[in-house]
Amino acid sequence: MTADGLVAALLADEGGPAWPARVPHRLDSVLAALPRPARAAVHAAVAAVESYTLVRTGRPLAALRPEEREDVLRSLARRPRLAPLLDLLKVPVLLAAGTERTQARPAPGAVPQDPPLDCTPAEEWPARTTADAVVVGSGAGGAMAARTLARAGLDVVVLEEGRHHPTASFGRRAPLDRFTELYRDGGATVALGRPPVLLPVGRAVGGTTVVNSGTCYRTPDHVQERWRSVFGFALADRLGPFLDEAERTLRVAPQPLDVLGDNGLLTLTGAERLGWRAAPLRRNAPGCKGSCQCVVGCPTGAKQSVQLSVLPDACAAGARIVAGARVHRILLDHDVPGPPRAAGVRARRPDGGELEILSPLVVTAAGTLQTPPLLRRSGLGGHPRLGRNLSVHPATSVAGRFTEPVTAWRGVLQSVGVEELHAQGILIEATASPPGMTSFVLPGLGRELRCELEGSDHLATLGAMIADRPSGQVRGRDRTLVRYDLDPRDGDRLMTAVRAMGRLLFAAGATEVLTGIPRAPRARSLDALDELLTSAGARDLHVSAFHPTGTAAAGDDPQRAPADPEGRLRGVHGVLVADGSVLPSCPEVNPQLSIMAAALAVSDAWLDGARHGG
């Protein structure tokens, strides 16, 4: 089914500029990257809108005049049961429209040569090999575990489901073309619940570090203490030196002002006028050029994702990487006294073939959303809390309109941290992205939405993340199903965050604040914003999340924690958990350093035990 008529209606295409006419073709490429259920949902929504149009007018959308198309959309938006269809459809349309309107490309300049990796496509790897240790996943946790074990002299093989994308490849394609490749399911992972939460995760050599913002917060001291005292995660006592090591490896430093961009500078201005604590964020991006494309792979090689920093060190110590290998199961040896022992892994190649790597040690670092299904497929899913205890660090965004151009997509993508409300569990960050790729959804339909798109260079955007209670779970074996219901306390925090972000933007000089709430989208003063928010709730927000943790948590209570206090999976010998799933609760900050430090601690503790015969 074609979406040409719907796109023309949403964007008020009246045959003027050429870019709206290109959006349907770009939308097709976006939809092709989505998993089948998501693609079917979009097609069903398009069909529903077309059916509504036929009943109302007797003609399809494409056959209507521009004013007639807009009248249909406004009529549909007034119907509570049908209006959510438009919200569903606006997201991929705006994604495609943002790319076609600006055709953003990487800044010109020489691209540095990536450090060498010993990386082999799965199709070229032998059907059966052996190793001392197999690491499943090459992201923040897997890379650190692989480097630690390889430096200790073990023969390490890292298996990664995604492909290897060199930095030079990012400069050859538009951001949206990279987006659909670098994320699992084309970026359309969703946690079902009230409200649904968009939960995109990376899939590439380097994992989500390839597509994160580069922000590097240390795990707060009070979080480390809670992990140790409340959950019994013994390694939390040792995280300090490992956080130091992660920072050194990633070359973490505050972002200089000269590439911060107007989005960040306005945030600093607003915070200063309010007397709020704010500063440029610490990031792993020395020499950042401010291309604002972190979320689709840094095109200049400045961001020290683990495929440019940790994995080269691991390979220099002898580790090998197999790309394009989806681990189907962990192999077990049951012919031993007591619990079974790890015996290696079986993985599938893209062509459907299989490979086996036999090994007495398996480190699962497939990610918070993929580790529980892998363990279930392997016959290791018996713990009642496996897949539960999911925190996602839920986030929402607000935009402010300014008289002068902001062009938020020029400068650092995530530039400034505002910590005034951090003690209340609310962390605000100035966050922009390539056009159309923000989690913020512009208001309006037809000519109003088109006007918003054409004026988006006057918008500054902020995002806020909430230290949430673990309200979700990861189900499934072969295909992951995520369920997450926002805790009422966390919903209140999100609404508090929306007001705080609006207040900051008005203090910086915004003439209008866009709330992201469909039925209360605009406020031109703080009093007006307060009035709007009294009639809205967290379920009205567009909520996204980027930091899932906790689904195979470590702790001292065998009934509550699938992994023991040192990250060893219970019920089996020789399986370590070294990704975000091992963290007992939300780290309350961007978790890259927390995951890397935890992986270092888990692998170091295993080596210490092996040296002492444990």
Side-chain angles (χ1 to χ4, degrees):
M1 170 170 291
T2 178
D4 292 23
L6 178 66
V7 171
L10 284 172
L11 301 181
D13 183 6
E14 299 172 357
W19 68 264
R22 298 194 301 264
V23 172
H25 175 73
R26 179 70 68 171
L27 179 61
D28 287 343
S29 68
V30 173
L31 296 181
L34 300 183
R36 185 177 300 171
R39 193 163 59 247
V42 173
H43 287 309
V46 172
V49 173
E50 286 287 358
S51 296
Y52 177 83
T53 304
L54 285 169
V55 170
R56 182 178 173 85
T57 70
R59 292 174 291 163
L61 267 173
L64 301 180
R65 297 192 305 272
E67 62 272 16
E68 291 176 320
R69 291 196 296 256
E70 191 157 338
D71 181 63
V72 167
L73 292 190
R74 294 194 181 282
S75 171
L76 197 155
R78 288 192 292 268
R79 297 174 176 267
R81 292 188 178 182
L82 297 180
L85 290 177
L86 294 180
D87 250 15
L88 168 67
L89 293 169
K90 279 172 67 174
V91 175
V93 170
L94 287 175
L95 187 63
T99 293
E100 287 303 328
R101 194 178 72 84
T102 62
Q103 285 295 310
R105 293 279 178 180
V111 177
Q113 186 71 29
D114 289 355
L117 291 179
D118 186 341
C119 186
T120 303
E123 297 89 337
E124 300 174 16
W125 190 265
R128 175 169 283 203
T129 53
T130 61
D132 297 327
V134 173
V135 179
V136 182
S138 65
M144 272 302 200
R147 189 183 76 168
T148 303
L149 297 172
R151 284 180 169 178
L154 275 66
D155 177 19
V156 177
V157 176
V158 180
L159 294 177
E160 167 58 51
E161 184 178 358
R163 292 173 45 217
H164 176 223
H165 298 268
T167 298
S169 71
F170 299 145
R172 294 194 289 264
R173 293 174 296 160
L176 182 56
D177 297 331
R178 288 132 59 187
F179 181 87
T180 55
E181 279 196 22
L182 290 168
Y183 287 84
R184 182 177 296 278
D185 292 334
T189 304
V190 174
L192 303 177
R194 303 182 63 190
V197 179
L198 185 65
L199 192 57
V201 290
R203 184 175 64 175
V205 172
T208 299
T209 74
V210 179
V211 294
N212 70 14
S213 63
T215 298
C216 291
Y217 269 101
R218 292 175 69 93
T219 318
D221 290 344
H222 71 273
V223 172
Q224 295 181 54
E225 170 57 24
R226 183 169 71 249
W227 287 351
R228 184 196 62 79
S229 62
V230 175
F231 297 97
F233 181 30
L235 298 181
D237 272 345
R238 300 164 55 181
L239 288 189
F242 295 128
L243 289 166
D244 295 340
E245 172 61 20
E247 287 189 313
R248 283 192 297 270
T249 298
L250 299 184
R251 300 164 66 190
V252 175
Q255 191 61 54
L257 292 176
D258 61 349
V259 292
L260 214 57
D262 287 342
N263 200 62
L265 293 174
L266 285 168
T267 302
L268 289 176
T269 297
E272 182 180 12
R273 290 173 179 171
L274 293 173
W276 287 5
R277 289 174 294 131
L281 287 164
R282 291 170 56 79
R283 303 179 67 243
N284 61 327
C288 175
K289 302 296 190 296
S291 61
C292 199
Q293 296 186 35
C294 307
V295 295
V296 285
C298 176
T300 67
K303 188 180 73 171
Q304 295 299 289
S305 310
V306 297
Q307 87 279 9
L308 301 182
S309 53
V310 183
L311 288 172
D313 290 347
C315 291
R320 295 166 290 165
I321 303 167
V322 184
R326 182 178 188 267
V327 176
H328 178 62
R329 65 184 298 124
I330 298 170
L331 303 175
L332 301 174
D333 180 3
H334 292 275
D335 295 328
V336 292
R341 292 183 176 274
V345 299
R346 181 176 296 132
R348 289 177 178 164
R349 302 183 173 101
D351 61 7
E354 290 190 342
L355 61 88
E356 284 187 356
I357 303 177
L358 304 182
S359 170
L361 175 64
V362 175
V363 181
T364 175
T368 299
L369 306 185
Q370 299 300 320
T371 282
L374 168 60
L375 295 176
R376 293 187 187 113
R377 293 195 300 270
S378 306
L380 297 172
H383 195 282
R385 298 293 296 171
L386 181 71
R388 297 183 178 270
N389 192 53
L390 173 67
S391 291
V392 299
H393 214 191
T396 194
S397 298
V398 165
R401 186 180 307 284
F402 289 80
T403 303
E404 298 298 321
V406 178
T407 318
W409 53 88
R410 293 179 186 162
V412 176
L413 183 144
Q414 199 167 81
S415 52
V416 169
V418 182
E419 300 199 24
E420 189 67 21
L421 303 181
H422 205 181
Q424 301 176 40
I426 300 170
L427 179 59
I428 297 173
E429 295 173 345
T431 304
S433 66
M437 294 185 191
T438 177
S439 58
F440 180 78
V441 178
L442 291 169
L445 300 166
R447 281 169 289 186
E448 183 185 4
L449 180 59
R450 170 78 168 272
C451 184
E452 292 290 353
L453 269 170
E454 293 178 341
S456 59
D457 59 338
H458 285 254
L459 296 180
T461 57
L462 298 175
M465 297 176 292
I466 306 304
D468 61 326
R469 290 173 173 164
S471 303
Q473 57 182 295
V474 174
R475 305 171 181 170
R477 293 166 52 93
D478 294 315
R479 182 158 188 87
T480 301
L481 176 64
V482 185
R483 177 80 196 190
Y484 183 87
D485 289 304
L486 190 69
D487 184 273
R489 182 207 68 174
D490 298 328
D492 291 342
R493 285 182 172 180
L494 280 172
M495 298 306 294
T496 298
V498 170
R499 185 187 188 279
M501 290 187 288
R503 184 180 176 192
L504 192 152
L505 288 165
F506 280 127
T511 60
E512 178 181 59
V513 163
L514 306 181
T515 65
I517 300 172
R519 57 190 175 89
R522 305 170 190 281
R524 291 184 171 86
S525 70
L526 188 57
D527 288 343
L529 178 62
D530 287 340
E531 185 176 350
L532 289 178
L533 296 182
T534 60
S535 63
R539 290 179 180 174
D540 298 309
L541 299 173
H542 291 280
V543 181
S544 54
F546 309 92
H547 305 151
T549 56
T551 54
D556 60 2
D557 184 345
Q559 300 304 311
R560 189 168 62 169
D564 74 7
E566 294 189 340
R568 297 172 294 200
L569 187 69
R570 287 190 161 97
V572 63
H573 292 301
V575 177
L576 307 180
V577 183
D579 55 24
S581 63
V582 81
L583 304 182
S585 68
C586 178
E588 302 185 9
V589 291
N590 305 58
Q592 180 172 221
L593 291 183
S594 300
I595 294 170
M596 295 175 77
L600 268 168
V602 167
S603 48
D604 186 74
W606 184 88
L607 287 170
D608 188 58
R611 283 191 290 266
H612 293 89

